[in-house]
Amino acid sequence: MFYEVTKEDEYLFQGKRKRLVEQLKQKGIKDEKVLVAIGKIPRHLFFDQTTARPALLDHAYSDKALPIGAGQTISHPYTVAFQTEKLAIKPGDKVLEIGTGCGYQTAVLLEMGAKVYSIERQKTLFDKTRLFLPHIGYRAARLIYGDGYKGLPQFAPYDKIIVTAGAPYIPNDLLIQLAVGGIMLIPIGEGESQEMNLLRKVGPSNFEKQVLGQFKFVPLLQNKSGN
Ligand code: SAH
């Protein structure tokens, strides 16, 4: 589905992706569909091509966060795999992503068969990713320039919500827009690292919370940026 592996890609990057998948397995990722998606998506194409390209290409398949422009980073592959696994995506799930960034997590969700809505507050990144994702075959996501704190009420409720930036608190609008029975993954904390929270909506205003360890994210900022 989606991205077509070319001969050149196969030769240069297939092996690197296989090794990354092995690393993720060793770190505890079990969901076969998540591993297949990561084994397929050309992560090396998602970076800011204006910074030191060869150096980045070398690191594209190591478990690192790397620059994507506008002062933002692509999440660690382990973080992407972890959040996606915990979301327990079923084909057809309606998923809201907060923080599109370069669209790597968006591509993983599409490969899992989700119907994806994704919000980005940085205009430059939004404009870049809006062109880039369809360019490499990922046309199905609905990408929105906006403030993720407010969610996207017009398409609510969502079966799953994934926040890919560190939030100081859980935005109330996101709690409202999650479907009953739905799951939200959100990193909480304003310091060096954030605590991954898994929320299950068990009733219209009832939630069960699990805390799943420390991760590092860029901050979830208020309001849209003009550039
Ligand atoms: N999902 C991305 C992660 C990018 S980093 C990936 O796969 O690489 C987090 C992104 O969240 C950044 O692009 C940042 O600009 C964006 N962001 C921060 N605060 C936001 C907000 N309030 N609404 C929408 N996006 C936000």
Side-chain angles (χ1 to χ4, degrees), residues 17-58:
R17 281 202 289 270
K18 269 202 189 121
R19 280 194 291 281
L20 172 60
V21 166
E22 282 312 311
Q23 276 182 29
L24 294 175
K25 273 191 199 166
Q26 274 161 25
K27 289 187 181 177
I29 303 298
K30 291 187 187 65
D31 188 328
E32 231 1 85
K33 282 169 75 184
V34 174
L35 294 169
V36 167
I38 290 180
K40 208 185 145 203
I41 301 171
R43 190 168 187 263
H44 62 281
L45 299 178
F46 284 74
F47 304 109
D48 182 5
Q49 307 285 334
T50 57
T51 50
R53 193 162 182 267
L56 277 179
L57 284 184
D58 256 8

Side-chain angles (χ1 to χ4, degrees), residues 43 46 66 68-76 80 83 97-108 118-123 125-126 129 144-151 162-166 217-225:
R43 190 168 187 263
F46 284 74
L66 295 163
I68 55 174
Q72 303 303 321
T73 54
I74 185 172
S75 299
H76 281 70
V80 172
Q83 283 194 289
E97 177 188 23
I98 309 298
T100 316
C102 64
Y104 182 75
Q105 172 74 67
T106 316
V108 173
S118 185
I119 309 178
E120 173 57 55
R121 71 177 283 283
Q122 291 253 8
K123 186 75 165 70
L125 263 179
F126 168 76
T129 303
I144 295 104
Y145 169 51
D147 177 7
Y149 276 91
K150 302 187 178 74
I162 174 171
V163 181
T164 71
F217 285 89
V218 295
L220 187 72
L221 301 173
Q222 298 278 354
N223 304 317
K224 292 195 278 194
S225 88

